[in-house]
Amino acid sequence: MVLPVAFFGLFFAYPVAAIVGRGLRSDGQWQLGLLGQVLTDPDVLQVLWFTVWQAAASTACTLALALPGAYVFARFDFPGKRLLRAVVTVPFVLPTVVVGSAFLALLGRGGALEEWFGLRLDTSVWAILLAHVFINYAVVVRTVGGLWSQLDPRQEEAARVLGASRIAAWRRVTLPALAPSIGAAALIVFLFTFTSFGVIQVLGGPRYATLEVEIYRQTAALLELPTAAVLTLLQFAAVTAMLAFHARTVRKRQSMLSMLPAEQTARRPQGPGQWALLGSVLTVVVLLILTPLAVLVERSFNGPDGYGTANYRALGSVSSDATFTVAPVAAIGNSLIYAALATCIALVVGGLAAAALTTRGGGGAVGRLVRGFDSMLMLPLGTSAVTVGFGFLIALDEPPLDLRSSWMLVPLAQALVGVPFVIRTMLPVLRAVDVRLREAAAVLGASPLRAWREVDLPLVRRALIVAAGFAFAVSLGEFGATVFIARPDAPTLPVAVSRFLGRAGELNYGQAMAMSAILMLVCTGTLLALERIRTDRSGEF
């Protein structure tokens, strides 16, 4: 645990505590009265209400649209299933700025929807909700569907034989087994949408702001650190409560009905009803997932002089009014290098943390320590990335950690997001390794290092590759913290996309679409590769 705890202490807890402390302290005194002032401000209450409301609405819409998809992927076998599973996962790892760009191209001014039907949704909350469903569709499909594919269907059939109707059998047999998984998926979706930043930043406009966007506005635009600190504490408390509840939900999932390999439960659709269900799910996937991605690619080729590669060619030059001091194409190389370094850091830190978490301490002090350690490692997924990024600039400004001018700040911030994905991928596989294999190697004279290299590593190699792929994809798209710490001479792709979207001009918009398409291509390639080497056949996250 030593290295992971040190890493999170230095690059997560310390920067967050520094910016919160600076905001709540004045003349050496804690200004605790600010808590009441900020939390009773009508504008803040409106932001808090909208944050909770849009997260709840996004979660409900995601469950309504994705649960049928979870059933189809779990129970049906059809051509292209593996490819389609990878495709619906692409939005989950896409940078949120790219998601915002895709829906802006589809629903915004001059977008495909306005051209086809004369309708714009970018000024309404519907664009935000649809974008959130687009991102989180795979969370439900793979979390719930992964478990659903392993439930023994004969138990429900036995209930039917005993006289239960199809609905009653599903409600009394299958639903209780799925309930913890559905609850976990709903909580994850709520957590991600509660802390939404990039989507709101691009699609929300001045009318809609979540806590994360308001923290960014108070910090970057207004320099109101006290207000930002209070909002950070509020979001941190909410996220901590959600993660604690999620940990309890995960533990409940360990007691399930009898399970079967996914291959034994999937079959070809039978009858008009099942084919109609498959068709409706495929229609939702085409409209909700593929259409925004296709429109994004189409807009990337639609330049000032018509269709062509003008937007891509413009990425190689620096305009006179450029935000960056280098050509935008340099952001591609920067992002790939930063993401590769962040992946290496995440693998080392996350791998050690996952190994530490294989300790089974039961309900005693060791068990509580392990569960607390596990929850701590998940906090970066829900804590304000804006606070972390600005905290880097505030806290890491004195030797021996004077890193404000160092390029290493970016991969360190990205690794914070990648570590939880490494842990969640590696942990189940490490726990499945039979400890007697290590003991046998030790009896035969192998050192602990050699036992790990020759016993554990071959068993977890595929999980390690999958973990690296997920860490690379999410690091590539990190935006909330990077927007503060990326230097003008070394921007990342998400930061460059955001800057171009914030500037007027058709060419700037085209370049944003072109860079978004490149990011989408890299993430899609990564996900397709992971789908070929994933460690189980259920498709579960």
Side-chain angles (χ1 to χ4, degrees):
M1 291 186 183
V2 173
L3 182 59
V5 169
F7 178 79
F8 275 78
L10 285 176
F11 300 113
F12 176 69
Y14 177 49
V16 172
I19 192 170
V20 171
R22 182 165 298 195
L24 295 181
R25 285 177 66 90
S26 178
D27 298 326
Q29 300 293 324
W30 289 99
Q31 305 297 318
L32 299 181
L34 288 171
L35 293 172
Q37 295 177 19
V38 173
L39 296 180
T40 55
D41 187 321
D43 293 335
V44 172
L45 291 177
Q46 177 62 33
V47 170
L48 179 59
W49 162 249
F50 177 73
T51 302
V52 175
W53 179 88
Q54 64 84 25
S58 297
T59 303
C61 292
T62 303
L63 288 175
L65 290 173
L67 281 176
Y71 176 79
V72 165
F73 279 99
R75 294 303 197 198
F76 293 167
D77 189 16
F78 53 91
K81 178 179 175 179
R82 180 181 296 184
L83 175 62
L84 197 62
R85 184 190 285 117
V87 168
V88 300
T89 311
V90 168
F92 181 72
V93 297
L94 277 182
T96 53
V97 172
V98 174
V99 174
S101 302
F103 277 82
L104 196 64
L106 178 63
L107 308 176
R109 185 180 64 181
L113 195 65
E114 186 177 27
E115 291 181 1
W116 298 338
F117 305 106
L119 182 64
R120 284 182 60 186
L121 295 178
D122 62 322
T123 56
S124 72
V125 74
W126 286 107
I128 296 173
L129 298 182
L130 287 173
H132 283 161
V133 175
F134 171 83
I135 294 172
N136 295 295
Y137 186 89
V139 174
V140 177
V141 167
R142 302 192 72 145
T143 301
V144 180
L147 174 63
W148 210 336
S149 67
Q150 299 178 74
L151 291 181
D152 191 345
R154 293 174 297 184
Q155 296 172 108
E156 190 173 321
E157 293 168 359
R160 295 288 308 281
V161 170
L162 294 173
S165 65
R166 183 181 297 274
I167 295 178
W170 183 85
R171 179 171 55 85
R172 295 183 181 181
V173 177
T174 305
L175 182 59
L178 291 178
S181 183
I182 294 174
L187 195 62
I188 293 171
V189 173
F190 187 89
L191 176 65
F192 286 156
T193 52
F194 183 84
T195 57
S196 182
F197 177 60
V199 168
I200 307 292
Q201 187 81 344
V202 175
L203 298 175
R207 292 180 55 193
Y208 305 110
T210 57
L211 276 175
E212 185 83 353
V213 173
E214 187 64 16
I215 291 171
Y216 176 77
R217 190 176 75 90
Q218 295 288 341
T219 302
L222 304 180
L223 296 180
E224 285 287 342
L225 287 186
T227 302
V230 173
L231 296 179
T232 297
L233 287 176
L234 179 63
Q235 181 169 310
F236 187 80
V239 167
T240 302
M242 284 187 275
L243 287 176
F245 184 76
H246 178 256
R248 293 183 59 187
T249 305
V250 169
R251 288 199 295 273
K252 288 182 180 180
R253 292 175 62 189
Q254 295 175 356
S255 57
M256 294 294 174
L257 298 175
S258 63
M259 313 291 277
L260 290 174
E263 293 88 342
Q264 297 184 20
T265 63
R267 62 185 186 275
R268 287 182 61 82
Q270 299 174 356
Q274 292 188 356
W275 282 107
L277 177 61
L278 176 60
S280 64
V281 168
L282 294 179
T283 301
V284 169
V285 170
V286 169
L287 294 178
L288 181 66
I289 307 294
L290 297 182
T291 300
L293 298 178
V295 170
L296 176 64
V297 174
E298 183 268 336
R299 286 292 185 263
S300 72
F301 288 101
N302 190 358
D305 301 322
Y307 287 99
T309 59
N311 293 328
Y312 290 90
R313 292 198 306 271
L315 298 179
S317 59
V318 182
S319 60
S320 57
D321 60 342
T323 303
F324 306 113
T325 59
V326 295
V329 72
I332 301 173
N334 294 335
S335 290
L336 294 176
I337 293 172
Y338 288 152
L341 291 173
T343 300
C344 294
I345 297 171
L347 286 177
V348 173
V349 175
L352 290 174
L357 288 171
T358 56
T359 301
R360 290 176 171 85
V366 175
R368 290 192 295 271
L369 175 64
V370 170
R371 288 193 293 271
F373 180 60
D374 191 8
S375 298
M376 179 198 75
L377 297 172
M378 296 300 108
L379 283 175
L381 285 182
T383 305
S384 170
V386 170
T387 302
V388 174
F390 196 59
F392 272 28
L393 299 181
I394 295 294
L396 305 180
D397 62 342
E398 295 180 358
L401 287 175
D402 186 4
L403 301 175
R404 287 181 302 176
S405 59
S406 173
W407 57 269
M408 274 300 297
L409 276 184
V410 174
L412 286 171
Q414 293 174 343
L416 282 172
V417 183
V419 166
F421 287 90
V422 173
I423 295 172
R424 295 273 75 84
T425 304
M426 295 289 298
L427 188 56
V429 181
L430 285 172
R431 282 178 172 166
V433 176
D434 192 340
V435 68
R436 291 174 297 183
L437 295 175
R438 302 189 190 103
E439 294 170 350
V443 169
L444 293 173
S447 65
L449 179 61
R450 185 178 179 186
W452 177 87
R453 187 177 68 248
E454 298 190 11
V455 175
D456 290 65
L457 184 59
L459 295 175
V460 304
R461 183 183 293 115
R462 295 177 71 186
L464 191 66
I465 297 173
V466 172
F470 266 108
F472 180 81
V474 298
S475 298
L476 194 68
E478 204 288 322
F479 174 65
T482 309
V483 71
F484 276 97
I485 57 181
R487 299 183 303 184
D489 61 340
T492 63
L493 274 172
V495 172
V497 170
S498 177
R499 299 286 170 81
F500 277 113
L501 286 176
R503 295 163 58 191
E506 189 175 356
L507 182 59
N508 289 327
Y509 176 80
Q511 290 182 86
M513 295 296 108
M515 286 188 289
S516 297
I518 292 171
L519 261 176
M520 182 191 72
L521 181 63
V522 174
C523 291
T524 302
T526 303
L527 258 294
L528 289 175
L530 294 184
E531 188 64 24
R532 295 183 62 86
I533 59 174
R534 58 194 173 92
T535 55
D536 62 80
R537 308 301 300 176
S538 68
E540 184 177 4
F541 271 145

